[in-house]
Amino acid sequence: MRILLLTHTFNSLTQRIFIELSIMGHDLSVEFDINDAVTTEAVELFRPHLILAPYLRRAIPESIWRNYVTLVVHPGIVGDRGPSSIDWAILENEADWGVTVLQAEAEMDAGPIWATESFAMRDATKSSLYRNEVTEAALRAVLSAVERVAEYNSGAWKPVPLDQWTPRGRLRLAMKPEDRSIDWERDNTSTVLRKIRASDSFPGVLDTLFGKPCHLFDAHAFPANGAPGELAGRVRDGVVKLTSDGAIWIGHAKRPDFWPGIKLPTAVAFPEAASLSELAEETGDIRYEEAEGIGYLHFDFYNGAMGTNACKRLLSAYLQARSRPTRIIVLMGGADFFSNGLDLNLIEASDSPSDESMLNIEAMDDLCQAILETDSQLTISALQGNAGAGGAFLALAADEVWERSGVILNPHYKNMGNLYGSEFWTYRLPLRVGDDQATQIMQNRLPLGVEDAKRLGFIDDHFGQDIAEFAAQVRHRASALATSPDFADRLAAKRSSRATDEAAKSLAQYRSEELSHMQRNFYGFDPSYHVARHHFVQKTPHSWTPRHLARHRELGWTAPEN
Ligand code: COA
């Protein structure tokens, strides 16, 4: 089938659906929902058999849903309507939730039901639920809806109208700031966390810090007690605020009166945090554990963004891990993201974005180089969550790359204003996938699903549907590798191939070539990277769909007759 994905952005759910439907052999194109005229033009150009809307913020024009089968993915249970579905489900402590695929009609999210899937809720942020449970359920529901299109067209099957269900869901208006707001005197830690988790990504919880209004994000329970609403101290770049029965650590804040008005580590958005006393923490964003001669290095940076300081802290943890008498080091990344490369928000907020970009990429390269130069252990990247740009190439610095099934990679840089990229990609990518595929991956700028990633050799294997299953299998496989009779041979082979590669072209040479391109991206006459970064961090709405996604807008495209 020719399927048009009509979406607000090419977000992780849309990417996953794109990948899975492509694997099934469907002919796909993407159009961003910019306005009715553009959508209508896209539909006329592509003449789809099915329009699928995985992530929409506006109603679909009647002229489209009357003439084309148009299915909307709603992140809620049957009957649930409104733009804050997951926010309400978290805030109201729902035990389970769902995703419904329904046919577009005049009233948004009220059309007949094509498919619905449910999942158990977890104590997690809205974004984490969206990237995991919602995405998996949406994929199942979309696949069963797509299977029904032929029967629907032949009249053999009809979707079930909403009024024929006895749904638990109902129309809920957009959540207002007062629905999310925290009463520090009365709300306990678990209520406060629920409010911040329900507001993750956007819009955050409107509150005050140091007497100034701001939105709060990225919170965890913290062991402290005292007068509710007071700040108890600082831990790394976050602050600790007291609740009615304990405290929370607040990692990120968005402050409208602090340029550039984007989400930043709290102590960066509020320099006055430096005056707070520093508290000791039990677990941070970097954690190392060891079992059976294997070191597991976890690094769970918010949104997978790795600023200069984060890279330096991780390098120091890595070097410590490398000095241990272990056989294998497993780079575990974080639960939601492995890494998304340089911290573009911190770069945007710095006094000199060019200088900060350079410092950040140097710190990232130091980390990648330390992994590449490890000759005392085998190294494994174990991706529990997605990775993008430099974060995907950080993974390639290890000897083996394993992914959780369902992980999406975006192993390319060009979307960020034609950035050349570093992280030794010019060494590692062709080595793994060959020169031609390396060029294609970089030029195509498309997400890479696990099947293709393995087929191309970008990764070595993928397994485990959920994080717990993946983590258990990682341990099992790493332990089998560490105790295998040919472990010593593998380590020797690694040392020898690294020496051969170094003799052919040194890491220093790869690094300086890549960085000379990056230098031009950061300091040269062409401002594309700075413009793209600005739009990315400010979340500027798209004004057109990139040509590599909108195939129907490619030169020479004509829709087939049937
Ligand atoms: N720096 C700072 N924030 C980042 C980031 C980065 N490198 N990468 C992602 N984020 C943030 C996003 O702004 C978003 O923030 P939110 O919490 O306010 O919503 C959040 O992480 C999730 O990202 P989003 O783009 O919504 O996720 P996605 O799954 O749809 O797309 C990527 C994933 C990787 C394709 C996309 O985030 C991306 O292109 N990131 C930039 C990668 C990059 O160019 N890095 C620099 C060069 S190494």
Side-chain angles (χ1 to χ4, degrees), residues 363-437:
M364 190 70 157
D365 281 357
D366 288 344
L367 173 64
C368 293
Q369 190 162 341
I371 299 167
L372 287 165
E373 287 175 342
T374 302
D375 64 1
S376 41
Q377 287 100 345
L378 287 183
T379 52
I380 299 168
S381 289
L383 281 69
Q384 307 171 69
N386 300 346
F393 295 104
L394 166 65
L396 290 202
D399 306 317
E400 291 253 333
V401 185
W402 300 342
E403 279 187 351
R404 179 176 64 78
S405 299
V407 157
I408 298 168
L409 297 176
N410 274 282
H412 43 80
Y413 301 88
K414 276 183 174 290
N415 284 347
M416 200 51 65
N418 257 334
L419 204 58
Y420 184 81
S422 190
E423 288 95 4
F424 301 91
W425 76 264
T426 52
Y427 167 42
R428 300 303 279 175
L429 186 61
L431 199 64
R432 276 196 161 257
V433 305
D435 288 337
D436 291 350
Q437 280 300 340

Side-chain angles (χ1 to χ4, degrees), residues 9-13 15 127 131 200-202 217 263 302-306 337 339-346 361 364 386-391 410 412-413 415-416 419 423 518 529 536-537 539:
T9 62
F10 198 47
N11 71 348
S12 55
L13 171 59
Q15 293 182 17
S127 320
R131 276 199 183 79
D200 188 51
S201 175
F202 181 82
F217 304 87
K263 202 185 289 183
Y302 186 62
N303 280 340
M306 293 176 51
F337 290 105
S339 170
N340 279 329
L342 312 186
D343 190 329
L344 298 171
N345 286 37
L346 276 177
I361 194 63
M364 190 70 157
N386 300 346
N410 274 282
H412 43 80
Y413 301 88
N415 284 347
M416 200 51 65
L419 204 58
E423 288 95 4
M518 290 294 252
Y529 156 70
F536 179 81
V537 303
K539 307 201 185 304

Side-chain angles (χ1 to χ4, degrees), residues 498-556:
R498 177 81 276 286
T500 312
D501 291 352
E502 185 69 18
K505 182 171 174 177
S506 68
L507 287 180
Q509 183 69 24
Y510 282 107
R511 182 171 171 156
S512 84
E513 283 173 13
E514 290 173 2
L515 289 182
S516 71
H517 287 277
M518 290 294 252
Q519 183 108 23
R520 271 201 292 282
N521 290 142
F522 299 154
Y523 295 98
F525 286 120
D526 178 357
S528 301
Y529 156 70
H530 297 290
V531 172
R533 188 196 62 242
H534 177 78
H535 289 311
F536 179 81
V537 303
Q538 294 290 352
K539 307 201 185 304
T540 311
H542 297 285
S543 47
W544 52 283
T545 310
R547 290 290 180 271
H548 68 283
L549 298 176
R551 287 186 39 234
H552 51 279
R553 294 186 186 280
E554 271 171 12
L555 269 178

